[in-house]
Amino acid sequence: ADGIECNIAVSIPSADVALAVGEWVDEVLGGYYDGDATDIRAIVDFYGKAISDTLRKEREEQGNDFVMEFEAEMSKAYETDKLVTYTMSTYLGLGGAHPSSSCLGITFRKSDGRRLLWDIVRLGEQYRMKALLAQGVMDYLGVKDEDELAQMIGDEKGYDIPLPQTPPFVLDNRLVFVYQQYELGSYALGMPTDTIALSRVAPLLTGW
């Protein structure tokens, strides 16, 4: 009613990963909640109010009639007896020409809540991982070779594509990689995504 829309939805985790998931939710929404990290509803209520207040203040400072919107959905996307993966999609619209979106995921090990980050790639194997990613990104963007990829992403060497800033996550026995908006190039590139069968990348990974 006041030009502010803020919606945050989080799937309630099981007890074995409640703390790990709660800490992650807090981190991705701002990192300044100081209550019980296992209380997901309290975290959502806290950031719902905080983000709404921030959007309202910015709208007042800009003095315009644009609707300020923030949406975040964090849901359980995959689970085995050892792992659980949450995915997160966000949308931020401040009245500009290009709203901001993100799509990422995180995989937790149930035994201790450890997050599977880029350190699951064995030392010395990042080059081989980048080569696999380069092929996946070429397929996603519809380019024919590394030279064309390099030109599109503004890099001298298409085969030496950077690893995504957000970590890979496990989904349906595949490892998923997502480059966020502007990470590889212009807004028009979107969010290049690649999925590789776990069986194919297993030799590049540590024993997690």
Side-chain angles (χ1 to χ4, degrees), residues 10-13 18 21-23 25 36-45:
V10 183
S11 298
I12 300 300
V21 172
E23 290 176 336
V25 171
D36 179 5
T38 64
D39 191 341
I40 299 295
R41 290 184 177 87
I43 297 173
V44 168
D45 290 343

Side-chain angles (χ1 to χ4, degrees), residues 40-192:
I40 299 295
R41 290 184 177 87
I43 297 173
V44 168
D45 290 343
F46 175 83
Y47 282 109
K49 181 180 184 305
I51 293 171
S52 294
D53 289 346
T54 299
L55 294 177
R56 187 172 295 107
K57 181 179 179 180
E58 184 164 346
R59 189 171 189 266
E60 291 172 353
E61 290 177 350
Q62 291 184 9
N64 59 46
D65 295 328
F66 294 129
V67 175
M68 300 289 196
E69 303 175 74
F70 176 77
E71 296 183 4
E73 181 175 358
M74 286 156 271
S75 56
K76 184 169 68 175
Y78 181 69
E79 185 173 14
T80 69
D81 59 339
K82 296 181 179 180
L83 307 171
V84 61
T85 293
Y86 267 67
T87 55
M88 174 182 178
S89 60
T90 68
Y91 174 88
L92 177 63
L94 302 177
H98 296 307
S100 174
S101 299
S102 69
C103 179
L104 61 146
I106 192 78
T107 297
F108 303 94
R109 187 167 61 187
K110 287 184 175 181
S111 61
D112 56 5
R114 178 192 175 191
R115 302 181 195 183
L116 305 185
L117 304 175
W118 280 115
D119 57 4
I120 68 172
V121 179
R122 295 182 185 278
L123 292 176
E125 297 291 3
Q126 286 197 354
Y127 180 83
R128 291 177 63 192
M129 183 66 77
K130 287 181 178 182
L132 290 174
L133 279 174
Q135 184 59 57
V137 171
M138 284 190 287
D139 293 342
Y140 178 92
L141 296 175
V143 299
K144 63 181 185 297
D145 55 35
E146 293 166 351
D147 290 337
E148 189 175 345
L149 174 63
Q151 183 177 13
M152 182 171 286
I153 68 175
D155 197 311
E156 294 182 357
K157 299 176 292 184
Y159 60 84
D160 196 20
I161 190 171
L163 296 175
Q165 294 174 6
T166 51
F169 55 95
V170 179
L171 193 63
D172 297 330
N173 291 314
R174 302 180 71 83
L175 206 58
V176 182
F177 305 84
V178 182
Y179 290 90
Q180 303 304 313
Q181 286 182 333
Y182 299 106
E183 193 172 342
L184 283 183
S186 68
Y187 181 87
L189 290 183
M191 291 182 281

